[in-house]
Amino acid sequence: MALNRDQLVRWLPFLGWPRPSRALLTGEALAGITVALMVIPQGVAYAALAGMPLVTGIYASLLPALIGVLFSASTRLSVGPTALSSLLVAASLGPLAIPGSAEWVALAVWLCFMSGAIQLVLGLGGFGWVLRLVNSPVLMGFTQAASVLIILSQVPSLFGFTGRSMGQLLHGAPPDFLAIAFGLGSIAALWVAKERWPRFPAAMVVVGACAAISAAIGYALRGGAVVGTLPSGLPAFYWPGTQPLGTFGALLLPALMITLVSFLETASSAKVDNARAGKLWNENQDLIGQGLAKIASGFSGAFPTSSSFSRSAINLYAGAQTGWATVFCVVLIGAALLWAMPLLYHVPQAVLAAIVVIAMLGLVRPGQFVSLWRISRVEAVTALVTFVLTIATSPSIYWGVLAGLLMSLSHYMYRHLHPRIIEVGLHPDGSLRDRHLWNLPPLAPQVHAMRMDAELDFATASTLERAITVQLAMRPGLTDVCLFAQPINRIDVTGAEVFGSIRRLLESKGVRLHLSGLKLPAQQVLERAGLLAPGPMLAIYRTDAEALAALGYLPAPDREEAPSLSPAPACADS
């Protein structure tokens, strides 16, 4: 059966791009060139962070960027190497291989394949919602901790000791003051440019200037750490070879972590992109595009890619309207690989470290913890634990996220297992509110009016039953229980069974049950279970006003005074 255009665009989003015109392509070319001038030095810097051969950072900005934009719904995102993904690669492979070795590269490529396949399966299956389990506090704690770790990892390079750890730096030879000058000077220049001219490709300008100064003073001949010779030419097809089964087991958790972080990075950019375009975000299609981009990065011999928030923002600021901007960006990167690699020889590696540091400084925001504490102390503690454990367990930094995720889910389950069940009273404004919180009188002396702000399911049903049982024991003269059920939007089998037990318990005590505002889906479950059969001890009302009238509510003569209720008369079904 032939596919129509809408179906083709669903699977091949690039078919929905607007037809190119001269005006459109002019604007897209300017945006693409701007991003390319930023991504080339960033790619080299992030490859160093990932422990990969430096040229692979540019490889990761070529074919993966093209595949990502062709098959993603968000066409203005900049796909390529990012700091967080690079850090995860380095942290994951540290115990398994030597940075920069052939084995390291092979394992990094397998991370591409595994994380890309996971994203592809999630997108094709429509399971993008699964990755929403990580909430904002966990992401914030992890991002800030990872940013601190990335900045610390660049300190040796800023001091001229590329490839050494902080410990080796503290106990090693004197620092290279030229490297410090290059590094700190680049940080200052990049910071000023970022604050004053955010659209300006400052990274490439700083790299070019420092490369010229380095060549002029013979920095490499003095033993300074420079980028050195990078191979020219487009990436060749790469196959990493097979690995022992145990190695794949060791890579599984890091691959899942890279998938998660990559998706969250993409989400942060895609939401802005789609909001500006006035579209709904198609998260599953973006998962497909990002998964294919990672697989393409693996076949290029590079490392896992993601969507860069900073480069995507530059793409938007530069006026990109469609995916054609990325096409121009890829063409320029390809041209650089063919003819411009020798120009990077004299770039001091301290400058690459400065590019990474400046990208991370904007993510370190201690004030966010204070703001979160004011909103929710539980979630602030979750963010702080994620932050501390991410740093403490380095290089296995994914344990911080797993701990934060476990805390968030535990808190969610605790709240679900302890639903808010209140006794309501009538507020002077006419609404039903927590009687004890607002110091309101009961609706009537022999009436217990209550509301449960949760679903009636296996987790909450026993709490509701216990609350009613306690009231029956504490108030022997109780004649009526009124459940304002409007917040209950779902009832499962356990909830229905417990509702039947509550009704039988009340009938055995001679207490009438009043149900108000029961929603249709919940009502249908109880009806199918035969639990809403008419009887003298059950009354059902469509609205709270009907329930109040049936319970014999008498309005107060003065609205400034608390309303009063007369004793509830016997009520028939309504």
Side-chain angles (χ1 to χ4, degrees), residues 88 91-92 95 149 253 389-401:
L88 286 170
S92 304
L149 290 173
L253 185 57
L389 285 181
T390 299
I391 293 178
T393 59
S394 176
S396 302
I397 59 176
Y398 38 78
W399 290 112
V401 169

Side-chain angles (χ1 to χ4, degrees), residues 30 32-33 73 76 164 180 217 224 234 237 256 277 295 331 338 381 411 421 481 493 560 569:
L30 291 175
I33 292 171
R76 295 186 292 180
R164 300 188 187 182
I180 295 175
I217 65 176
L234 301 178
F237 177 82
L256 289 170
I295 294 172
V331 170
L338 290 172
V381 170
H411 179 54
I421 300 176
V481 170
V493 173
E560 296 299 324

